[in-house]
Amino acid sequence: MILSCTTGNAAVPRTAVMHTLPITQVASLPNLPRSHQLHVVSPVSKYCHCGRSSRRSLVCQASLHAAAASISVRSQQPAKLAVFVSGGGSNFRAIHDAILSGHIHAQIAVVVSDAPGCGAWAYARQAGIPTICHPHSTRPYLDMPADAPPPLDTPSLIQMLKQQLGVKFVILAGYLKLVPAALVREYKDAMLNIHPGLLPAFGGKGLYGLRVHKAVIASGARFSGATVHFVDEEYDTGPIFAQAVVPVNPHDTPQMLAARVLQQEHKLYPTAVAALAEGRITWREDGIPIMWTPH
């Protein structure tokens, strides 16, 4: 098959490498199905790779097969997820709702928390989702439910996730602990986190929740947003997968900005998790992940 392009009357093979054009131009390209277009969430980076090669170009082959891969994945058993939580779990609920509505082809096999009894833990129990407490601590957890299983140390948790539950992907949804390096290595390129700011700015140890929004407002930044990124062994430094942008208004309080960002988080994270579960990811040669739409 041949993919038409706007570079004269030339036709590029389906494995062609594409250069950068604004989304408005890409949308008007003749004979270019939506399944071949890059999914862009952030208005700050409204660019799609299409045309001739550039230094940081993407190979289009993965995008051209994205729709077929999505259909193939949905004919298989749903991917099993482990969701890590520490608080109320609004992003966890958004992901669970998207699974129940069929927008994510996955199944939440277990919820892991360092705060048993938190809102997300209670929601999981009500939904019939198994729960695990981690990390193991010599000090008793203050809010540990009487019927909660004993906390697991890292080797036991890895064994539980990989061997007993068959978890394929780990999703951090408001989990405030640093994930153990051994677990990160077990789920390399298969663990996502969402951060309430536009990384690489306003991230790192101690920057979470309202602290992020206070720092954004104090900096005078005109835009903030949410970032979904792959997890490495440090806080908020893994490869960026997707972002959504919101304005910072002149009279915003941290609470006002937090509410605006959270609305975008609830849209962005399910979209990213769906792409991960269906394998709609291309990795650039420089290690940057790109998300492709299924249609």
Side-chain angles (χ1 to χ4, degrees):
M1 291 179 62
I2 299 298
L3 170 66
S4 299
C5 75
T6 55
T7 314
N9 294 320
V12 230
R14 107 178 0 217
T15 56
V17 177
M18 311 270 238
H19 74 262
T20 304
L21 284 177
I23 279 290
T24 51
Q25 291 178 254
V26 172
S28 65
L29 292 182
N31 304 319
L32 181 60
R34 285 176 56 85
S35 61
H36 299 172
Q37 297 178 17
L38 174 62
H39 178 76
V40 178
V41 177
S42 168
V44 170
S45 57
K46 289 186 176 177
Y47 289 92
C48 177
H49 290 257
C50 184
R52 289 182 292 203
S53 61
S54 65
R55 193 173 156 191
R56 286 187 137 188
S57 56
L58 295 170
V59 178
C60 270
Q61 189 171 10
S63 71
L64 296 174
H65 294 291
S70 178
I71 294 171
S72 175
V73 167
R74 286 185 173 270
S75 68
Q76 302 171 7
Q77 291 295 318
K80 291 186 177 182
L81 312 179
V83 181
F84 283 48
V85 297
S86 292
S90 67
N91 275 305
F92 160 45
R93 298 178 193 214
I95 291 168
H96 188 233
D97 286 345
I99 290 172
L100 295 179
S101 64
H103 289 94
I104 300 177
H105 188 62
Q107 166 193 348
I108 299 177
V110 67
V111 165
V112 180
S113 181
D114 65 316
C118 67
W121 177 285
Y123 175 83
R125 300 295 290 269
Q126 291 171 3
I129 301 171
T131 51
I132 293 175
C133 184
H134 172 80
H136 177 75
S137 175
T138 55
R139 292 166 30 181
Y141 284 90
L142 297 178
D143 299 321
M144 175 76 81
D147 60 344
L152 297 182
D153 59 18
T154 298
S156 299
L157 178 62
I158 292 173
Q159 182 182 31
M160 174 72 74
L161 297 183
K162 300 284 283 189
Q163 299 179 17
Q164 298 183 39
L165 297 176
V167 168
K168 188 173 182 180
F169 302 111
V170 172
I171 309 298
L172 309 186
Y175 186 69
L176 301 181
K177 292 282 188 181
L178 184 66
V179 179
L183 182 58
V184 173
R185 289 192 291 268
E186 287 288 339
Y187 284 94
K188 177 176 171 53
D189 299 338
M191 184 183 296
L192 290 180
N193 182 49
I194 190 162
H195 180 76
L198 293 178
L199 296 175
F202 307 109
K205 186 176 182 179
L207 276 174
Y208 58 87
L210 285 179
R211 296 183 181 187
V212 175
H213 307 300
K214 289 177 181 178
V216 169
I217 292 171
S219 75
R222 272 32 175 196
F223 293 94
S224 188
T227 300
V228 177
H229 64 95
F230 284 90
V231 177
D232 60 14
E233 297 180 19
E234 304 295 333
Y235 284 106
D236 304 327
T237 56
I240 293 171
F241 188 36
Q243 291 183 308
V245 176
V246 302
V248 180
N249 297 328
H251 302 294
D252 268 344
T253 64
Q255 291 79 6
M256 293 165 64
L257 180 57
R260 194 176 307 122
V261 171
L262 189 62
Q263 286 184 330
Q264 295 302 315
E265 290 182 42
H266 292 167
K267 300 174 183 177
L268 182 68
Y269 213 6
T271 299
V273 172
L276 180 68
E278 295 179 8
R280 292 186 279 104
I281 302 174
T282 299
W283 289 87
R284 277 189 346 200
E285 292 182 0
D286 58 359
I288 300 301
I290 303 297
M291 182 196 313
W292 302 97
T293 56
H295 53 73

